């Protein structure tokens, strides 16, 4: 995907928690999902409730509710590339692939998800490697 232009949709990382976050199941290692109230694994039937939200976990490769490792994570340039789910992965891919990146009209553009991405991910010299990692992550969704 080679999008010439990306306009910041003014999302914060917390905005992405409105759909299930994909994690590694702590019981079977399969793909499980987490919401603000529950962790479920369709492979082994695990269900956990009573999450312990940790707002410091929002910017790490774990879910912020049950603190399980994210399903969508990969080593890239000595760092960890991660996403909560396919919509998050799509956003990262569109941003990284774009040759022109525009800020949105928000009041505080420095606090948006894309404005806070690390420089190793946003550097043009790393574009191809980051996009390859995103492609590998996308393959784990099917």
């Amino acid at each position: 995907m080679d999008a010439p232009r990306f306009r910041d949709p003014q999302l914060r990382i917390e905005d992405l928690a409105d759909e299930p976050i994909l994690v590694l199941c702590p019981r079977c290692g399969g793909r499980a999902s987490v919401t603000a109230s529950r962790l479920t694994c369709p492979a082994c039937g695990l269900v956990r409730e009573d999450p312990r939200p940790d707002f410091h976990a929002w910017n790490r490769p774990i879910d912020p509710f049950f603190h399980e490792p994210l399903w969508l994570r990969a080593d890239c340039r000595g760092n960890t590339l991660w996403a909560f789910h396919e919509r998050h992965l799509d956003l990262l891919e569109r941003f990284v692939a774009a040759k022109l990146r525009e800020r949105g009209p928000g009041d505080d553009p420095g606090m948006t998800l894309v404005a806070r991405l690390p420089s190793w991910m946003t550097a043009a010299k790393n574009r191809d490697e980051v996009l390859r990692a995103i492609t590998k992550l996308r393959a784990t969704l099917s």
Side-chain angles (χ1 to χ4, degrees), residues 3-141:
R5 170 179 269 162
F6 177 91
R7 180 165 207 132
D8 188 343
Q10 302 294 292
L11 291 172
R12 297 175 189 272
I13 190 73
E14 300 87 5
D15 297 333
L16 296 176
D18 63 352
E19 62 188 82
I21 296 169
L22 303 176
V23 299
L24 284 173
C25 175
R27 180 188 290 164
C28 73
R31 185 171 70 192
S33 62
V34 165
T35 64
S37 61
R38 173 179 295 205
L39 181 151
T40 57
C41 178
C44 70
L46 176 67
V47 175
R48 285 196 180 153
E49 296 180 333
D50 194 27
R52 306 260 189 255
D54 177 1
F55 297 105
H56 297 289
W58 283 105
N59 292 305
R60 299 192 338 236
I62 60 173
D63 83 86
F65 304 109
F66 291 88
H67 317 131
E68 297 298 335
L70 296 179
W71 179 261
L72 295 171
R73 69 184 195 292
D75 291 331
C76 184
R77 305 231 11 111
N79 297 283
T80 302
L81 173 68
W82 57 271
F84 283 160
H85 40 59
E86 189 170 16
R87 182 168 66 119
H88 189 183
L89 201 59
D90 291 344
L91 178 69
L92 294 175
E93 184 175 41
R94 287 193 337 262
F95 179 81
V96 171
K99 305 279 193 242
L100 175 62
R101 300 167 180 165
E102 299 175 335
R103 291 185 176 185
D107 295 332
D108 192 4
M111 295 303 291
T112 68
L113 185 150
V114 296
R116 297 177 58 119
L117 290 174
S119 59
W120 67 266
M121 189 183 300
T122 62
K125 68 181 180 178
N126 299 333
R127 178 178 286 125
D128 291 341
E129 194 170 346
V130 173
L131 290 173
R132 276 193 297 277
I134 289 171
T135 298
K136 287 178 186 176
L137 291 177
R138 188 174 301 288
T140 70
L141 293 172

